[in-house]
Amino acid sequence: MSFVVRRLITRSDAESEFFAAPVFRNTSGSATIGVSGSPATIAELSVATGYHLLLPLHVSATPSGLGTAESATINVVAVLDDESTVTLATRTTAAGSTSTETFTIDSFDFSAVPDNKRITTIRVTAESSATATSATLSVTIVALQLSMY
């Protein structure tokens, strides 16, 4: 994957009429996590007008307020250009954890993204192991936004 990124951002390509220079994008959000079986969307980053796809680079997620026997399952989901979704990574926190979970480009499984499909939105969802919760999750998403003509 790193070869692909390096290939996409070479100077000669960026100066080409068929390639627009990539742009780093990020967003942050915080929300109450969903209850067991009903994940809640915590944050989303969507491709901007004039660009065609996102390449997720980094996601950090920090839980707060988990009970001592409560864990949170965090999902990084790609929404594709046909509105279908693919889970790129999943991680479950330790019970009661307040430690930041970090996902990097090496954490993401891109093999489920079909050929000729583009990632247009990166979504982070979370659900509790409990049937009721007041726990929250703070998330930051960083991606490379690309446009190819």
Side-chain angles (χ1 to χ4, degrees):
M1 181 58 67
S2 63
F3 170 76
V4 173
V5 173
R6 282 193 305 264
R7 174 70 182 106
L8 287 173
I9 61 173
T10 62
R11 184 180 174 118
S12 61
D13 282 344
E15 293 171 351
S16 166
E17 63 185 275
F18 299 106
F19 186 87
V23 174
F24 286 99
R25 301 238 2 248
N26 67 63
T27 191
S28 296
S30 183
T32 301
I33 64 176
V35 295
S36 181
S38 299
T41 297
I42 307 300
E44 284 188 338
L45 178 64
S46 295
V47 69
T49 302
Y51 288 85
H52 295 97
L53 65 106
L54 291 169
L55 177 63
L57 300 176
H58 179 93
V59 172
S60 62
T62 306
S64 176
L66 289 173
T68 56
E70 180 183 12
S71 61
T73 300
I74 304 162
N75 298 295
V76 180
V77 178
V79 180
L80 306 179
D81 54 350
D82 64 358
E83 300 300 319
S84 63
T85 59
V86 172
T87 300
L88 299 177
T90 299
R91 197 166 295 153
T92 300
T93 67
S97 177
T98 57
S99 297
T100 298
E101 297 290 337
T102 302
F103 303 84
T104 63
I105 193 166
D106 294 331
S107 308
F108 301 128
D109 179 7
F110 294 100
S111 66
V113 178
D115 290 344
N116 300 319
K117 295 294 179 196
R118 296 174 285 116
I119 298 173
T120 57
T121 300
I122 301 163
R123 177 181 298 151
V124 176
T125 66
E127 68 179 285
S128 170
S129 60
T131 55
T133 188
S134 59
T136 61
L137 188 71
S138 298
V139 171
T140 299
I141 303 169
V142 179
L144 191 62
Q145 182 171 260
L146 303 164
S147 178
M148 289 174 240
Y149 300 94

